[in-house]
PDB file of all heavy atoms in Angstrom:
ATOM      1  N   SER I1005       0.847  -1.194   0.000  1.00  0.00           N
ATOM      2  CA  SER I1005       0.000   0.000   0.000  1.00  0.00           C
ATOM      3  C   SER I1005       0.883   1.245   0.000  1.00  0.00           C
ATOM      4  O   SER I1005       1.810   1.352   0.816  1.00  0.00           O
ATOM      5  CB  SER I1005      -0.903   0.015   1.230  1.00  0.00           C
ATOM      6  OG  SER I1005      -1.581   1.248   1.323  1.00  0.00           O
ATOM      7  N   PRO I1006       0.602   2.202  -0.868  1.00  0.00           N
ATOM      8  CA  PRO I1006       1.421   3.422  -0.895  1.00  0.00           C
ATOM      9  C   PRO I1006       1.237   4.289   0.355  1.00  0.00           C
ATOM     10  O   PRO I1006       2.085   5.120   0.657  1.00  0.00           O
ATOM     11  CB  PRO I1006       0.935   4.163  -2.140  1.00  0.00           C
ATOM     12  CG  PRO I1006      -0.394   3.589  -2.450  1.00  0.00           C
ATOM     13  CD  PRO I1006      -0.414   2.196  -1.907  1.00  0.00           C
ATOM     14  N   ASP I1007       0.166   4.047   1.101  1.00  0.00           N
ATOM     15  CA  ASP I1007      -0.087   4.831   2.308  1.00  0.00           C
ATOM     16  C   ASP I1007       0.721   4.347   3.508  1.00  0.00           C
ATOM     17  O   ASP I1007       0.780   5.029   4.523  1.00  0.00           O
ATOM     18  CB  ASP I1007      -1.576   4.782   2.675  1.00  0.00           C
ATOM     19  CG  ASP I1007      -2.444   5.358   1.571  1.00  0.00           C
ATOM     20  OD1 ASP I1007      -1.951   6.222   0.813  1.00  0.00           O
ATOM     21  OD2 ASP I1007      -3.610   4.930   1.460  1.00  0.00           O
ATOM     22  N   VAL I1008       1.322   3.174   3.402  1.00  0.00           N
ATOM     23  CA  VAL I1008       2.051   2.591   4.519  1.00  0.00           C
ATOM     24  C   VAL I1008       3.541   2.810   4.321  1.00  0.00           C
ATOM     25  O   VAL I1008       4.116   2.401   3.325  1.00  0.00           O
ATOM     26  CB  VAL I1008       1.748   1.078   4.642  1.00  0.00           C
ATOM     27  CG1 VAL I1008       2.575   0.450   5.747  1.00  0.00           C
ATOM     28  CG2 VAL I1008       0.274   0.860   4.891  1.00  0.00           C
ATOM     29  N   SER I1009       4.154   3.458   5.315  1.00  0.00           N
ATOM     30  CA  SER I1009       5.597   3.667   5.231  1.00  0.00           C
ATOM     31  C   SER I1009       6.340   2.847   6.274  1.00  0.00           C
ATOM     32  O   SER I1009       7.415   2.324   6.019  1.00  0.00           O
ATOM     33  CB  SER I1009       5.933   5.150   5.402  1.00  0.00           C
ATOM     34  OG  SER I1009       5.474   5.601   6.657  1.00  0.00           O
ATOM     35  N   ASN I1010       5.767   2.715   7.459  1.00  0.00           N
ATOM     36  CA  ASN I1010       6.415   1.998   8.541  1.00  0.00           C
ATOM     37  C   ASN I1010       5.383   1.120   9.229  1.00  0.00           C
ATOM     38  O   ASN I1010       4.262   1.548   9.477  1.00  0.00           O
ATOM     39  CB  ASN I1010       7.023   2.991   9.535  1.00  0.00           C
ATOM     40  CG  ASN I1010       8.006   2.340  10.465  1.00  0.00           C
ATOM     41  OD1 ASN I1010       8.379   1.184  10.267  1.00  0.00           O
ATOM     42  ND2 ASN I1010       8.414   3.072  11.482  1.00  0.00           N
ATOM     43  N   ILE I1011       5.768  -0.117   9.555  1.00  0.00           N
ATOM     44  CA  ILE I1011       4.835  -1.051  10.177  1.00  0.00           C
ATOM     45  C   ILE I1011       5.363  -1.447  11.549  1.00  0.00           C
ATOM     46  O   ILE I1011       6.441  -2.023  11.671  1.00  0.00           O
ATOM     47  CB  ILE I1011       4.636  -2.306   9.308  1.00  0.00           C
ATOM     48  CG1 ILE I1011       4.134  -1.912   7.925  1.00  0.00           C
ATOM     49  CG2 ILE I1011       3.679  -3.277   9.971  1.00  0.00           C
ATOM     50  CD1 ILE I1011       4.120  -3.043   6.930  1.00  0.00           C
ATOM     51  N   ASN I1012       4.579  -1.150  12.561  1.00  0.00           N
ATOM     52  CA  ASN I1012       4.893  -1.511  13.933  1.00  0.00           C
ATOM     53  C   ASN I1012       4.736  -3.027  14.089  1.00  0.00           C
ATOM     54  O   ASN I1012       3.806  -3.618  13.553  1.00  0.00           O
ATOM     55  CB  ASN I1012       3.919  -0.746  14.843  1.00  0.00           C
ATOM     56  CG  ASN I1012       4.164  -0.962  16.296  1.00  0.00           C
ATOM     57  OD1 ASN I1012       4.614  -2.020  16.719  1.00  0.00           O
ATOM     58  ND2 ASN I1012       3.847   0.053  17.080  1.00  0.00           N
ATOM     59  N   GLN I1013       5.627  -3.682  14.849  1.00  0.00           N
ATOM     60  CA  GLN I1013       5.557  -5.127  15.051  1.00  0.00           C
ATOM     61  C   GLN I1013       4.235  -5.560  15.675  1.00  0.00           C
ATOM     62  O   GLN I1013       3.665  -6.575  15.306  1.00  0.00           O
ATOM     63  CB  GLN I1013       6.716  -5.606  15.925  1.00  0.00           C
ATOM     64  CG  GLN I1013       8.018  -5.804  15.186  1.00  0.00           C
ATOM     65  CD  GLN I1013       7.903  -6.816  14.071  1.00  0.00           C
ATOM     66  OE1 GLN I1013       8.005  -6.456  12.906  1.00  0.00           O
ATOM     67  NE2 GLN I1013       7.679  -8.066  14.396  1.00  0.00           N
ATOM     68  N   GLU I1014       3.755  -4.777  16.644  1.00  0.00           N
ATOM     69  CA  GLU I1014       2.497  -5.125  17.303  1.00  0.00           C
ATOM     70  C   GLU I1014       1.329  -5.032  16.309  1.00  0.00           C
ATOM     71  O   GLU I1014       0.439  -5.878  16.295  1.00  0.00           O
ATOM     72  CB  GLU I1014       2.220  -4.224  18.509  1.00  0.00           C
ATOM     73  CG  GLU I1014       3.147  -4.475  19.685  1.00  0.00           C
ATOM     74  CD  GLU I1014       4.487  -3.763  19.572  1.00  0.00           C
ATOM     75  OE1 GLU I1014       4.625  -2.856  18.716  1.00  0.00           O
ATOM     76  OE2 GLU I1014       5.402  -4.122  20.324  1.00  0.00           O
ATOM     77  N   ALA I1015       1.337  -3.994  15.485  1.00  0.00           N
ATOM     78  CA  ALA I1015       0.283  -3.830  14.487  1.00  0.00           C
ATOM     79  C   ALA I1015       0.336  -4.967  13.465  1.00  0.00           C
ATOM     80  O   ALA I1015      -0.709  -5.485  13.046  1.00  0.00           O
ATOM     81  CB  ALA I1015       0.415  -2.489  13.781  1.00  0.00           C
ATOM     82  N   LEU I1016       1.522  -5.362  13.088  1.00  0.00           N
ATOM     83  CA  LEU I1016       1.688  -6.462  12.143  1.00  0.00           C
ATOM     84  C   LEU I1016       1.158  -7.763  12.740  1.00  0.00           C
ATOM     85  O   LEU I1016       0.425  -8.507  12.082  1.00  0.00           O
ATOM     86  CB  LEU I1016       3.163  -6.606  11.769  1.00  0.00           C
ATOM     87  CG  LEU I1016       3.530  -7.708  10.790  1.00  0.00           C
ATOM     88  CD1 LEU I1016       2.822  -7.492   9.460  1.00  0.00           C
ATOM     89  CD2 LEU I1016       5.031  -7.750  10.590  1.00  0.00           C
ATOM     90  N   PHE I1017       1.507  -8.038  13.983  1.00  0.00           N
ATOM     91  CA  PHE I1017       1.031  -9.244  14.650  1.00  0.00           C
ATOM     92  C   PHE I1017      -0.494  -9.240  14.757  1.00  0.00           C
ATOM     93  O   PHE I1017      -1.151 -10.237  14.456  1.00  0.00           O
ATOM     94  CB  PHE I1017       1.658  -9.372  16.045  1.00  0.00           C
ATOM     95  CG  PHE I1017       1.141 -10.546  16.812  1.00  0.00           C
ATOM     96  CD1 PHE I1017       1.660 -11.811  16.591  1.00  0.00           C
ATOM     97  CD2 PHE I1017       0.130 -10.398  17.742  1.00  0.00           C
ATOM     98  CE1 PHE I1017       1.171 -12.907  17.286  1.00  0.00           C
ATOM     99  CE2 PHE I1017      -0.364 -11.490  18.442  1.00  0.00           C
ATOM    100  CZ  PHE I1017       0.157 -12.749  18.210  1.00  0.00           C
ATOM    101  N   LEU I1018      -1.055  -8.106  15.203  1.00  0.00           N
ATOM    102  CA  LEU I1018      -2.505  -8.028  15.376  1.00  0.00           C
ATOM    103  C   LEU I1018      -3.251  -8.136  14.045  1.00  0.00           C
ATOM    104  O   LEU I1018      -4.304  -8.763  13.968  1.00  0.00           O
ATOM    105  CB  LEU I1018      -2.889  -6.742  16.098  1.00  0.00           C
ATOM    106  CG  LEU I1018      -2.485  -6.684  17.572  1.00  0.00           C
ATOM    107  CD1 LEU I1018      -2.773  -5.304  18.145  1.00  0.00           C
ATOM    108  CD2 LEU I1018      -3.195  -7.757  18.369  1.00  0.00           C
ATOM    109  N   THR I1019      -2.706  -7.549  12.994  1.00  0.00           N
ATOM    110  CA  THR I1019      -3.326  -7.656  11.672  1.00  0.00           C
ATOM    111  C   THR I1019      -3.306  -9.100  11.188  1.00  0.00           C
ATOM    112  O   THR I1019      -4.297  -9.607  10.648  1.00  0.00           O
ATOM    113  CB  THR I1019      -2.600  -6.748  10.660  1.00  0.00           C
ATOM    114  OG1 THR I1019      -2.662  -5.398  11.130  1.00  0.00           O
ATOM    115  CG2 THR I1019      -3.214  -6.840   9.282  1.00  0.00           C
ATOM    116  N   THR I1020      -2.181  -9.771  11.398  1.00  0.00           N
ATOM    117  CA  THR I1020      -2.069 -11.177  11.003  1.00  0.00           C
ATOM    118  C   THR I1020      -3.047 -12.041  11.785  1.00  0.00           C
ATOM    119  O   THR I1020      -3.751 -12.878  11.210  1.00  0.00           O
ATOM    120  CB  THR I1020      -0.628 -11.673  11.216  1.00  0.00           C
ATOM    121  OG1 THR I1020       0.271 -10.821  10.503  1.00  0.00           O
ATOM    122  CG2 THR I1020      -0.454 -13.093  10.731  1.00  0.00           C
ATOM    123  N   LYS I1021      -3.118 -11.821  13.087  1.00  0.00           N
ATOM    124  CA  LYS I1021      -4.020 -12.604  13.930  1.00  0.00           C
ATOM    125  C   LYS I1021      -5.486 -12.337  13.565  1.00  0.00           C
ATOM    126  O   LYS I1021      -6.293 -13.261  13.473  1.00  0.00           O
ATOM    127  CB  LYS I1021      -3.771 -12.293  15.404  1.00  0.00           C
ATOM    128  CG  LYS I1021      -4.446 -13.243  16.348  1.00  0.00           C
ATOM    129  CD  LYS I1021      -3.889 -14.639  16.181  1.00  0.00           C
ATOM    130  CE  LYS I1021      -4.531 -15.603  17.166  1.00  0.00           C
ATOM    131  NZ  LYS I1021      -4.130 -16.974  16.902  1.00  0.00           N
ATOM    132  N   ALA I1022      -5.827 -11.069  13.321  1.00  0.00           N
ATOM    133  CA  ALA I1022      -7.199 -10.716  12.936  1.00  0.00           C
ATOM    134  C   ALA I1022      -7.564 -11.352  11.592  1.00  0.00           C
ATOM    135  O   ALA I1022      -8.696 -11.817  11.407  1.00  0.00           O
ATOM    136  CB  ALA I1022      -7.357  -9.203  12.873  1.00  0.00           C
ATOM    137  N   THR I1023      -6.624 -11.394  10.672  1.00  0.00           N
ATOM    138  CA  THR I1023      -6.861 -12.022   9.374  1.00  0.00           C
ATOM    139  C   THR I1023      -7.126 -13.511   9.536  1.00  0.00           C
ATOM    140  O   THR I1023      -8.050 -14.061   8.928  1.00  0.00           O
ATOM    141  CB  THR I1023      -5.660 -11.792   8.437  1.00  0.00           C
ATOM    142  OG1 THR I1023      -5.439 -10.394   8.306  1.00  0.00           O
ATOM    143  CG2 THR I1023      -5.893 -12.407   7.069  1.00  0.00           C
ATOM    144  N   GLU I1024      -6.330 -14.158  10.372  1.00  0.00           N
ATOM    145  CA  GLU I1024      -6.544 -15.577  10.641  1.00  0.00           C
ATOM    146  C   GLU I1024      -7.921 -15.822  11.252  1.00  0.00           C
ATOM    147  O   GLU I1024      -8.620 -16.758  10.870  1.00  0.00           O
ATOM    148  CB  GLU I1024      -5.476 -16.110  11.588  1.00  0.00           C
ATOM    149  CG  GLU I1024      -4.143 -16.282  10.957  1.00  0.00           C
ATOM    150  CD  GLU I1024      -3.110 -16.852  11.919  1.00  0.00           C
ATOM    151  OE1 GLU I1024      -3.456 -17.119  13.096  1.00  0.00           O
ATOM    152  OE2 GLU I1024      -1.974 -17.021  11.491  1.00  0.00           O
ATOM    153  N   MET I1025      -8.292 -14.988  12.198  1.00  0.00           N
ATOM    154  CA  MET I1025      -9.585 -15.156  12.858  1.00  0.00           C
ATOM    155  C   MET I1025     -10.728 -14.938  11.876  1.00  0.00           C
ATOM    156  O   MET I1025     -11.733 -15.651  11.905  1.00  0.00           O
ATOM    157  CB  MET I1025      -9.691 -14.208  14.053  1.00  0.00           C
ATOM    158  CG  MET I1025      -8.743 -14.576  15.181  1.00  0.00           C
ATOM    159  SD  MET I1025      -8.691 -13.364  16.498  1.00  0.00           S
ATOM    160  CE  MET I1025     -10.307 -13.569  17.214  1.00  0.00           C
ATOM    161  N   PHE I1026     -10.579 -13.964  10.986  1.00  0.00           N
ATOM    162  CA  PHE I1026     -11.608 -13.706   9.972  1.00  0.00           C
ATOM    163  C   PHE I1026     -11.742 -14.892   9.025  1.00  0.00           C
ATOM    164  O   PHE I1026     -12.855 -15.332   8.720  1.00  0.00           O
ATOM    165  CB  PHE I1026     -11.292 -12.438   9.184  1.00  0.00           C
ATOM    166  CG  PHE I1026     -12.208 -12.241   8.018  1.00  0.00           C
ATOM    167  CD1 PHE I1026     -13.501 -11.797   8.215  1.00  0.00           C
ATOM    168  CD2 PHE I1026     -11.793 -12.544   6.730  1.00  0.00           C
ATOM    169  CE1 PHE I1026     -14.375 -11.643   7.142  1.00  0.00           C
ATOM    170  CE2 PHE I1026     -12.644 -12.390   5.660  1.00  0.00           C
ATOM    171  CZ  PHE I1026     -13.947 -11.937   5.862  1.00  0.00           C
ATOM    172  N   VAL I1027     -10.632 -15.419   8.554  1.00  0.00           N
ATOM    173  CA  VAL I1027     -10.667 -16.554   7.629  1.00  0.00           C
ATOM    174  C   VAL I1027     -11.300 -17.766   8.319  1.00  0.00           C
ATOM    175  O   VAL I1027     -12.110 -18.481   7.725  1.00  0.00           O
ATOM    176  CB  VAL I1027      -9.256 -16.874   7.095  1.00  0.00           C
ATOM    177  CG1 VAL I1027      -9.229 -18.184   6.336  1.00  0.00           C
ATOM    178  CG2 VAL I1027      -8.756 -15.742   6.216  1.00  0.00           C
ATOM    179  N   GLN I1028     -10.955 -17.961   9.588  1.00  0.00           N
ATOM    180  CA  GLN I1028     -11.540 -19.073  10.338  1.00  0.00           C
ATOM    181  C   GLN I1028     -13.049 -18.881  10.492  1.00  0.00           C
ATOM    182  O   GLN I1028     -13.831 -19.819  10.310  1.00  0.00           O
ATOM    183  CB  GLN I1028     -10.880 -19.191  11.704  1.00  0.00           C
ATOM    184  CG  GLN I1028     -11.389 -20.357  12.520  1.00  0.00           C
ATOM    185  CD  GLN I1028     -10.705 -20.465  13.868  1.00  0.00           C
ATOM    186  OE1 GLN I1028     -10.191 -19.489  14.387  1.00  0.00           O
ATOM    187  NE2 GLN I1028     -10.708 -21.652  14.421  1.00  0.00           N
ATOM    188  N   HIS I1029     -13.481 -17.675  10.801  1.00  0.00           N
ATOM    189  CA  HIS I1029     -14.908 -17.382  10.951  1.00  0.00           C
ATOM    190  C   HIS I1029     -15.649 -17.590   9.628  1.00  0.00           C
ATOM    191  O   HIS I1029     -16.742 -18.181   9.603  1.00  0.00           O
ATOM    192  CB  HIS I1029     -15.094 -15.955  11.467  1.00  0.00           C
ATOM    193  CG  HIS I1029     -16.513 -15.536  11.656  1.00  0.00           C
ATOM    194  ND1 HIS I1029     -17.361 -16.154  12.551  1.00  0.00           N
ATOM    195  CD2 HIS I1029     -17.252 -14.576  11.053  1.00  0.00           C
ATOM    196  CE1 HIS I1029     -18.554 -15.589  12.495  1.00  0.00           C
ATOM    197  NE2 HIS I1029     -18.511 -14.628  11.587  1.00  0.00           N
ATOM    198  N   LEU I1030     -15.072 -17.135   8.541  1.00  0.00           N
ATOM    199  CA  LEU I1030     -15.675 -17.329   7.217  1.00  0.00           C
ATOM    200  C   LEU I1030     -15.784 -18.812   6.895  1.00  0.00           C
ATOM    201  O   LEU I1030     -16.833 -19.283   6.426  1.00  0.00           O
ATOM    202  CB  LEU I1030     -14.850 -16.611   6.146  1.00  0.00           C
ATOM    203  CG  LEU I1030     -15.255 -16.850   4.694  1.00  0.00           C
ATOM    204  CD1 LEU I1030     -16.676 -16.360   4.436  1.00  0.00           C
ATOM    205  CD2 LEU I1030     -14.277 -16.169   3.745  1.00  0.00           C
ATOM    206  N   ALA I1031     -14.731 -19.558   7.155  1.00  0.00           N
ATOM    207  CA  ALA I1031     -14.745 -20.992   6.859  1.00  0.00           C
ATOM    208  C   ALA I1031     -15.773 -21.728   7.714  1.00  0.00           C
ATOM    209  O   ALA I1031     -16.527 -22.565   7.206  1.00  0.00           O
ATOM    210  CB  ALA I1031     -13.357 -21.586   7.068  1.00  0.00           C
ATOM    211  N   LEU I1032     -15.827 -21.415   9.005  1.00  0.00           N
ATOM    212  CA  LEU I1032     -16.788 -22.080   9.885  1.00  0.00           C
ATOM    213  C   LEU I1032     -18.230 -21.733   9.516  1.00  0.00           C
ATOM    214  O   LEU I1032     -19.094 -22.608   9.477  1.00  0.00           O
ATOM    215  CB  LEU I1032     -16.518 -21.721  11.344  1.00  0.00           C
ATOM    216  CG  LEU I1032     -15.301 -22.390  11.974  1.00  0.00           C
ATOM    217  CD1 LEU I1032     -15.032 -21.820  13.356  1.00  0.00           C
ATOM    218  CD2 LEU I1032     -15.488 -23.888  12.048  1.00  0.00           C
ATOM    219  N   SER I1033     -18.482 -20.470   9.230  1.00  0.00           N
ATOM    220  CA  SER I1033     -19.825 -20.062   8.825  1.00  0.00           C
ATOM    221  C   SER I1033     -20.223 -20.724   7.516  1.00  0.00           C
ATOM    222  O   SER I1033     -21.360 -21.174   7.356  1.00  0.00           O
ATOM    223  CB  SER I1033     -19.902 -18.545   8.669  1.00  0.00           C
ATOM    224  OG  SER I1033     -19.728 -17.919   9.900  1.00  0.00           O
ATOM    225  N   SER I1034     -19.299 -20.777   6.585  1.00  0.00           N
ATOM    226  CA  SER I1034     -19.572 -21.404   5.289  1.00  0.00           C
ATOM    227  C   SER I1034     -19.840 -22.896   5.465  1.00  0.00           C
ATOM    228  O   SER I1034     -20.761 -23.449   4.862  1.00  0.00           O
ATOM    229  CB  SER I1034     -18.401 -21.206   4.334  1.00  0.00           C
ATOM    230  OG  SER I1034     -18.181 -19.846   4.104  1.00  0.00           O
ATOM    231  N   PHE I1035     -19.052 -23.539   6.307  1.00  0.00           N
ATOM    232  CA  PHE I1035     -19.220 -24.974   6.531  1.00  0.00           C
ATOM    233  C   PHE I1035     -20.543 -25.266   7.229  1.00  0.00           C
ATOM    234  O   PHE I1035     -21.252 -26.204   6.864  1.00  0.00           O
ATOM    235  CB  PHE I1035     -18.060 -25.529   7.353  1.00  0.00           C
ATOM    236  CG  PHE I1035     -18.149 -27.011   7.584  1.00  0.00           C
ATOM    237  CD1 PHE I1035     -17.832 -27.897   6.574  1.00  0.00           C
ATOM    238  CD2 PHE I1035     -18.565 -27.519   8.799  1.00  0.00           C
ATOM    239  CE1 PHE I1035     -17.927 -29.263   6.772  1.00  0.00           C
ATOM    240  CE2 PHE I1035     -18.654 -28.873   9.017  1.00  0.00           C
ATOM    241  CZ  PHE I1035     -18.334 -29.754   7.998  1.00  0.00           C
ATOM    242  N   ASN I1036     -20.890 -24.461   8.229  1.00  0.00           N
ATOM    243  CA  ASN I1036     -22.137 -24.688   8.961  1.00  0.00           C
ATOM    244  C   ASN I1036     -23.366 -24.481   8.091  1.00  0.00           C
ATOM    245  O   ASN I1036     -24.400 -25.095   8.335  1.00  0.00           O
ATOM    246  CB  ASN I1036     -22.210 -23.783  10.193  1.00  0.00           C
ATOM    247  CG  ASN I1036     -21.245 -24.212  11.260  1.00  0.00           C
ATOM    248  OD1 ASN I1036     -20.857 -25.371  11.342  1.00  0.00           O
ATOM    249  ND2 ASN I1036     -20.825 -23.276  12.087  1.00  0.00           N
TER     250      ASN I1036
END
């Protein structure tokens, strides 16, 4: 993204974790 110049480690970790949780929620909802 051209708007991002510096990425904080905590923000990177939280974004990764949130993405995983979203994908898991989508998969579980789709499966159910």
Side-chain angles (χ1 to χ4, degrees):
S1005 172
D1007 299 333
V1008 176
S1009 60
N1010 195 10
I1011 302 171
N1012 183 329
Q1013 279 301 113
E1014 290 83 14
L1016 180 61
F1017 176 82
L1018 290 174
T1019 301
T1020 304
K1021 192 64 178 173
T1023 303
E1024 286 182 0
M1025 292 172 69
F1026 172 76
V1027 170
Q1028 182 179 24
H1029 180 62
L1030 173 62
L1032 286 173
S1033 294
S1034 299
F1035 182 76
N1036 289 335

